[in-house]
Amino acid sequence: MSLPTWLNLKIKSPQYGYKPTSRIIPASVPSKLNLSYTQHSECPNNQCPPADQNVAAIVFGDGSNSRLYPLTKRRSESALPIAGNYRLIDAVVSNCINSNIKKIYALTQFNSASLNSHLSRAYSSARIGNEALVDVIAACQGPEGKGWFQGTADAIRRCLWVLEEYPIVDFLVLPGYHLYKMDFQELLKVHCNNRADITVAVLSTRRDKDIELSTFQVNSNNQVISFKDNPEMRVANLDVSQDKFIGMDIYVVNKDAMIKLLTEYHPMANDFRREVVPGAISLGMNVYAHKFSGYWEDMRSVEAYYQANMESIKNTNKAYSSLYDKDSPLYTLPRHLPPTQITDAAITDSVIGDGCFLNRCKIRGTVVGMRTRVGDGAIIEDSVIMGSDTYQNSRAEEDMHIPIGIGEGSQIRKAIIDKNVRIGKNVKILNKENVQECNNEANGYIITGGIVVILKGAIIPDGSIL
């Protein structure tokens, strides 16, 4: 999906050959952006200014303790492909765009090359007046900090000199690897009406899957009175009582409160959720909760990632819905690929990305990523195929014994095939013995939760059985 017309696009990198179409028409900046900013403390409950004019989003692109390995061996969590054409970070940035938030800072560090490239190509050339929509702030060392970011709180503290330049009242703090659709205007309105220092987004209902135990206890006015976090404890069918709600790691924080918390009250804190938020509660700051009832996936395991892709096929209430929502679309990098070519293939209940070559194959219940090549007679079921970063020309395919893609006669079931994988002819990736856990990374694959994961760039020889 192309970016909305309220963005004045200026492409910095002509080598990508991008030419604006009728769907991306440069437009004048909305007049509301010229309004003066109103200070948080002077905002009456019924006279809050439009939220988009006084907030900047801070998006964290990655984490050092990912449970998505080996998918995150060479990329950050936020850069993971999702639903054929997109990256996880696109869902978060799209939420901001659809909520009319016009300033986003992306803080990146671990395995961030792919993510930085995607953000820079997809969004940083989009501008509102002279301001970039997305500024990528990669971890760096300076006079006041010789090491890397030690956590979310440390990252914000060390970037305050940049974040303070934009004239805002509140920060919207977001993980970049969650999948959900939220109107942030509702969250910001609650924050303003309550004159809150911090507003946390929480799930309004219990989840029927494993999650980190992180709960907020609230009173009848939705003011947070206590917080509990135990990252080592993971529970199924978590019993959330009427006054306790699961945190989503989404926060609105008043700018002045953020500066005081990070520089005065907790100058040594590294983690925002585990140290700063409980500290704000203990200090008696106004911390409120906003209940969210929509789809949300924290995407912190391979199984969760696999299931989210499978749900994207179904387009049900349990699935991420922005793929098919014209009012709140999902934006990404325009890649200008040709349409997928299908030659006598049988495809059912699947999502197919752009630029694929699907020959006489059978595909069912599968997400097929961009530039995927599937040979004659191949059968793919209930799988995630990430695709390829580039096309191979015919000469390269002749020189290469096994070209990128899925070879003729191969069978794949309940698997995740990372990018640029070369699967030979008559390969069977079926896990017939229903192995739940297996680490065979040396041979290009692992099994986790019964899902076979083929590593990025792996070569699976002809006739292999996994």
Side-chain angles (χ1 to χ4, degrees), residues 185-389:
Q185 293 291 338
E186 297 178 3
L187 174 63
L188 294 166
K189 182 178 180 181
V190 168
H191 177 76
C192 182
N193 288 341
N194 289 326
R195 297 187 179 184
D197 295 303
I198 299 177
T199 301
V200 301
V202 299
L203 295 177
S204 62
T205 56
R206 58 185 287 181
R207 284 169 53 107
D208 294 327
K209 60 182 72 175
D210 288 353
I211 58 171
E212 288 187 352
L213 181 60
S214 172
T215 58
F216 292 88
Q217 185 176 10
V218 303
N219 61 20
S220 58
N221 295 321
N222 287 328
Q223 186 172 12
V224 176
I225 57 178
S226 69
F227 169 80
K228 182 179 181 181
D229 179 65
N230 187 351
E232 300 302 323
M233 181 178 180
R234 297 178 64 83
V235 294
N237 296 321
L238 181 63
D239 183 16
V240 180
S241 60
Q242 292 183 352
D243 64 343
K244 294 180 181 179
F245 300 89
I246 301 166
M248 300 172 64
D249 271 354
I250 296 173
Y251 310 94
V252 182
V253 187
N254 174 259
K255 178 181 178 180
D256 293 336
M258 177 79 85
I259 294 172
K260 288 182 179 179
L261 283 167
L262 295 180
T263 61
E264 297 180 20
Y265 300 131
H266 300 284
M268 303 303 293
N270 289 328
D271 190 89
F272 194 82
R273 179 182 66 184
R274 299 189 180 107
E275 298 176 79
V276 177
V277 174
I281 297 171
S282 64
L283 287 167
M285 287 187 169
N286 290 327
V287 182
Y288 282 83
H290 171 66
K291 298 171 185 175
F292 177 72
S293 59
Y295 173 88
W296 177 75
E297 177 55 66
D298 63 351
M299 210 69 69
R300 301 309 295 267
S301 70
V302 171
E303 294 93 328
Y305 173 77
Y306 171 83
Q307 191 60 38
N309 275 280
M310 293 297 98
E311 289 172 351
S312 72
I313 297 170
K314 302 172 185 176
N315 191 22
T316 64
N317 291 335
K318 294 183 178 181
Y320 175 70
S321 59
S322 277
L323 291 173
Y324 311 100
D325 189 345
K326 64 179 181 180
D327 296 321
S328 299
L330 184 59
Y331 300 102
T332 191
L333 172 69
R335 297 175 178 87
H336 310 289
L337 292 173
T340 287
Q341 183 180 91
I342 301 173
T343 305
D344 197 23
I347 302 173
T348 56
D349 301 328
S350 298
V351 170
I352 309 297
D354 297 334
C356 300
F357 294 90
L358 309 179
N359 298 323
R360 297 168 180 83
C361 58
K362 295 181 180 180
I363 299 175
R364 182 180 66 82
T366 293
V367 173
V368 180
M370 294 176 292
R371 306 183 188 90
T372 296
R373 180 191 62 82
V374 182
D376 292 352
I379 300 174
I380 307 173
E381 299 175 316
D382 304 325
S383 296
V384 180
I385 314 297
M386 292 190 187
S388 174
D389 288 320

Side-chain angles (χ1 to χ4, degrees), residues 382-403:
D382 304 325
S383 296
V384 180
I385 314 297
M386 292 190 187
S388 174
D389 288 320
T390 59
Y391 285 122
Q392 280 185 294
N393 58 43
S394 56
R395 182 171 181 177
E397 291 185 4
E398 292 175 0
D399 295 339
M400 186 67 62
H401 176 60
I402 301 177

Side-chain angles (χ1 to χ4, degrees), residues 27-39:
S28 59
V29 179
S31 59
K32 61 184 175 182
L33 286 181
N34 297 322
L35 298 175
S36 60
Y37 292 89
T38 303
Q39 292 299 318

